[in-house]
Amino acid sequence: MRRRHLLAATTIVAALTGLEGCRTPSEAASQLDKVQVCIQSQNGIQPVTAELAVNDSQRRKGLMGRESLAPDHGMLFVYQEPRPPEATFWMYHTFIPLDIAYISEAGDIRAIRRMLPCTADDPDRCPQYPAGVRYTMALEMPQGYFRSNGIREGHRVDVLETPNARCPDPAA
């Protein structure tokens, strides 16, 4: 199972990095590919639509400059290699309060952190948020999303690779 999640993340990165060359620079900057993320929580399966940040430029920009984010939408940062516990995220020019879930190679949420907006002109004046755990993906969501949906450390995350795929209906 662990290999499946790492393979899925690696496949997503490889495929989307290749597609990046097919876009004009303005298209690449204005739109990101999206995937369906299914989070298995104590309240059932929570579907999330996530924009993908798979290369350095996309990860650096993140959700900078956004003034709103739908309640069930977020950004999924995908790495080809596991990131160390001291790797950090920041909120430079990010105006939306966010929570971030750090996700292991096996697809388990290892840590959740609360992040506050930083509008400082100097990025060095923005707080940094270390994971404190090794991770291969990080999911940013509007602040309070994880708590209000009963999502906590140890819960599972599946990324659906098929276009227009939907999380399974637990009632079916």
Side-chain angles (χ1 to χ4, degrees):
M1 187 61 88
R2 178 181 142 160
R3 293 182 78 90
R4 183 175 71 103
H5 286 280
L6 180 58
L7 181 59
T10 303
T11 302
I12 290 168
V13 171
L16 295 176
T17 303
L19 289 175
E20 195 67 27
C22 298
R23 295 185 181 155
T24 66
S26 62
E27 286 176 327
S30 66
Q31 62 188 146
L32 297 171
D33 291 300
K34 294 182 176 110
V35 292
Q36 184 78 41
V37 176
C38 308
I39 307 172
Q40 299 172 23
S41 76
Q42 65 187 36
N43 295 340
I45 297 174
Q46 306 300 319
V48 168
T49 300
E51 295 177 52
L52 287 169
V54 298
N55 64 41
D56 289 341
S57 174
Q58 292 167 341
R59 288 190 290 255
R60 234 184 335 272
K61 180 165 174 139
L63 292 169
M64 278 184 189
R66 306 271 184 101
E67 295 184 7
S68 65
L69 189 61
D72 60 348
H73 283 64
M75 180 167 279
L76 183 66
F77 297 80
V78 181
Y79 300 89
Q80 288 184 304
E81 298 292 326
R83 305 281 294 156
E86 58 275 6
T88 62
F89 274 70
W90 66 349
M91 296 283 286
Y92 179 61
H93 283 198
T94 303
F95 309 123
I96 308 163
L98 298 171
D99 287 337
I100 186 168
Y102 295 100
I103 304 163
S104 74
E105 290 177 78
D108 299 315
I109 295 175
R110 300 283 315 281
I112 297 175
R113 306 280 184 255
R114 181 178 175 197
M115 301 189 301
L116 300 173
C118 180
T119 56
D121 289 331
D122 180 0
D124 291 333
R125 294 183 55 212
C126 293
Q128 295 190 14
Y129 301 92
V133 297
R134 289 176 59 83
Y135 64 96
T136 55
M137 294 185 287
L139 178 62
E140 288 182 341
M141 295 296 295
Q143 200 163 85
Y145 176 85
F146 297 118
R147 183 178 19 82
S148 65
N149 286 286
I151 299 166
R152 62 180 190 268
E153 292 175 14
H155 286 159
R156 303 266 318 138
V157 175
D158 287 307
V159 179
L160 304 182
E161 298 176 50
T162 309
N164 301 317
R166 295 287 167 236
C167 297
D169 182 357

